[in-house]
Each structure stands twice: as C-alpha cells, then as structure tokens.
Amino acid sequence: TPELFRIHLKQALAAIEGRRGEDKILFLKAWNEWAEGNYVEPDQKWGHAWLEVIRDELAHEDPDICGCSYSQTENSLHGSCAG
C-alpha cells in the first residue's frame, strides 16, 4: 500500500541522512514494472498516492526540493507541492 511504501521510504531517507550532497542518493527500483507489481505510476486503485508519498516525504526532508513548505503542526504541505 502507499502507506507501507511511505514507511519504507522514510527508512531509506533516514539511512542517507547526514551524507554529503553527492552521496545522498536513493534509487527507485521501477517506475512502471506493472507485471512484477513494481510501479509508482498512477493507477485506478491508488490514483496518484505513490507519487504523493514521494513528493510529501521529499518535501518533508528538504522543502527546497520543489518550493514547498511543510507544517509539522498542520501535517501538510504548502506552496507548489500542495497539489
């Protein structure tokens, strides 16, 4: 589910926290491997949820990534990433 993906993404981001910029890299295994069940493209069941998880977590880590601001108290994004 997208929420399980969120947990995994948070763990992956925590693993690279503190690394220098050029060493702070995560790879997304598959964008559209539908047959294997590895995809983040929008679908009928989850809509854009996979992409929204990526957007939200990256914006939470570094709001400058997409010009967003993240409000911990409101638990929401503001600006161009707010969707």
Side-chain angles (χ1 to χ4, degrees):
T1 67
E3 284 309 309
L4 289 175
F5 176 61
R6 180 182 306 277
I7 292 167
H8 183 68
L9 182 55
K10 283 182 178 185
Q11 291 170 339
L13 289 168
I16 63 169
E17 187 176 336
R19 291 187 184 181
R20 295 180 303 153
E22 65 271 11
D23 295 329
K24 201 171 196 176
I25 299 173
L26 285 180
F27 287 95
L28 182 62
K29 180 179 181 232
W31 164 256
N32 64 351
E33 293 292 336
W34 292 87
E36 289 83 16
N38 296 318
Y39 62 90
V40 294
E41 285 184 304
D43 65 10
Q44 290 181 344
K45 182 174 183 177
W46 302 108
H48 290 84
W50 306 105
L51 297 172
E52 290 166 356
V53 165
I54 295 169
R55 177 200 63 198
D56 295 350
E57 294 308 317
L58 290 179
H60 184 268
E61 289 293 312
D62 184 359
D64 292 334
I65 253 175
C66 61
C68 302
S69 62
Y70 184 82
S71 170
Q72 184 111 22
T73 55
E74 295 176 27
N75 196 26
S76 62
L77 290 169
H78 305 281
S80 61
C81 284

